[in-house]
Amino acid sequence: MNYNLSGRTVIITGITDSSSLALVIAKECKQLGANLICTGLGKTEFHKNLSEAGLSFLERTYSDFTKTVKSELGDDAITYPLDVTIQANIDAFADFLQSNKIKIHSFLHSIAMDKTIRQGKVKPIMTISREEFMDAMNVSAFSLLALTQSLYQRNLLVEGGSIVALSYLGAEKVVSHPYKNIGVAKSALERLVKEMAMELGKEKQIQVNAIRFSPYRASKAGSAIEGLEQAENSCEELSPLGNAKAKDLAEEVAYLFRPGNRITGEIRHVDGGYHIRG
């Protein structure tokens, strides 16, 4: 079994800053020899009629992303601005890969958004609007399918490749801290993983899996979730092995990215065993 990723090209989505789980995963892949393509939210030609504040946010976000990638992963890591809510932007990214004759062996889906989480507070499910529900579903779940479709249609996914999406126990259960709307979206993400695993496996031997990770406050996304500090402490105490570390997650993703696997359609847990508790 080949445990290195030398000569393989990996897309990493979801890096925002140096605290991102996606960055830890990218570092692990790079250490194992992978060529990295990192996407981050940023201003593109497809963003129309945005306010000055909106444009400024996109520019600042992409600047932080590129600085992080270059300083942490090196100048050889390719960066590309990607807003997964805009299909034309997704297709332009795939066209960029095609025009540069870049084939993809693996990619990490580490993208989520929920407008019902604001300043550490989570809206009750009974107060969520149709727009808020659909926005979370679009970014956190459908984006996995949209990106895969665009790569697939251009024959950019290498046979025998691997796709991994990051999820959380809150996709299955009502957890101890409010996870609500984003939990519903993550549940849809996991269901997509299984359907995609069947279709892509049958046609191109491509593996599709999801990983549920321990509560993790160090990332920007984690720090915004109400009650996550208490959940992190509780899981550390109650899990058979204590909370998993970011490095544990990175090693599991790299394991699933390695060539020669026969693992697909799984919702794997990297949480110190917390999920086995009643």
Side-chain angles (χ1 to χ4, degrees), residues 7-248:
R8 299 176 74 81
T9 300
V10 175
I11 295 174
I12 302 288
T13 67
I15 295 175
T16 54
D17 54 34
S18 58
S19 69
S20 299
L21 282 171
L23 178 63
V24 182
I25 294 167
K27 285 181 175 179
E28 183 71 19
C29 292
K30 180 180 174 66
Q31 185 177 338
L32 292 171
N35 303 311
L36 299 179
I37 300 171
C38 302
T39 67
L41 183 62
K43 186 179 75 172
T44 71
E45 62 183 293
F46 308 104
H47 289 96
K48 309 292 186 184
N49 303 317
L50 289 182
S51 66
E52 285 296 322
L55 289 172
S56 177
F57 169 77
L58 290 174
E59 289 172 347
R60 184 173 65 254
T61 299
Y62 194 68
S63 175
D64 290 345
F65 157 75
T66 53
K67 286 176 183 175
T68 298
V69 169
K70 297 306 179 183
S71 64
E72 300 280 355
L73 300 173
D75 289 335
D76 56 339
I78 297 171
T79 56
Y80 194 94
L82 181 63
D83 185 335
V84 293
T85 67
I86 303 174
Q87 188 61 45
N89 192 179
I90 294 174
D91 291 340
F93 173 54
D95 288 340
F96 163 78
L97 298 175
Q98 188 173 46
S99 65
N100 285 280
K101 296 180 170 56
I102 299 172
K103 295 278 191 171
I104 302 303
H105 296 85
S106 304
F107 83 78
L108 174 75
H109 182 275
S110 179
I111 305 171
M113 184 277 293
D114 183 8
K115 292 179 180 177
T116 71
I117 302 173
R118 284 287 181 271
Q119 297 177 329
K121 295 296 180 183
V122 181
K123 288 179 68 173
I125 203 78
M126 293 301 295
T127 69
I128 291 167
S129 69
R130 182 185 298 272
E131 181 182 8
E132 289 168 333
F133 181 90
M134 297 308 295
D135 282 348
M137 195 68 70
N138 188 18
V139 176
S140 308
F142 184 74
S143 61
L144 171 66
L145 181 58
L147 181 53
T148 304
Q149 286 174 334
S150 198
L151 298 172
Y152 172 85
Q153 289 160 4
R154 291 161 179 79
N155 197 32
L156 297 175
L157 296 172
V158 172
E159 185 160 339
S162 176
I163 299 168
V164 174
L166 299 190
S167 190
Y168 184 60
L169 187 61
E172 177 186 352
K173 300 178 179 181
V174 177
V175 287
S176 61
H177 60 88
Y179 203 61
K180 302 187 183 293
N181 193 44
I182 189 65
V184 177
K186 288 290 189 182
S187 184
L189 175 76
E190 293 185 1
R191 190 67 185 83
L192 270 174
V193 160
K194 294 181 179 182
E195 291 293 343
M196 292 168 62
M198 177 59 74
E199 292 190 10
L200 291 173
K202 285 289 188 183
E203 185 161 344
K204 298 196 72 169
Q205 294 291 294
I206 292 172
Q207 306 140 56
V208 189
N209 295 285
I211 300 175
R212 295 174 178 172
F213 185 52
S214 292
Y216 183 74
R217 280 186 303 129
S219 69
K220 186 179 291 185
S223 64
I225 297 176
E226 181 181 354
L228 199 63
E229 179 177 2
Q230 293 89 333
E232 195 177 62
N233 294 336
S234 177
C235 289
E236 174 65 28
E237 179 183 348
L238 297 175
S239 299
L241 302 177
N243 279 337
K245 310 303 181 189
K247 176 71 169 173
D248 301 324

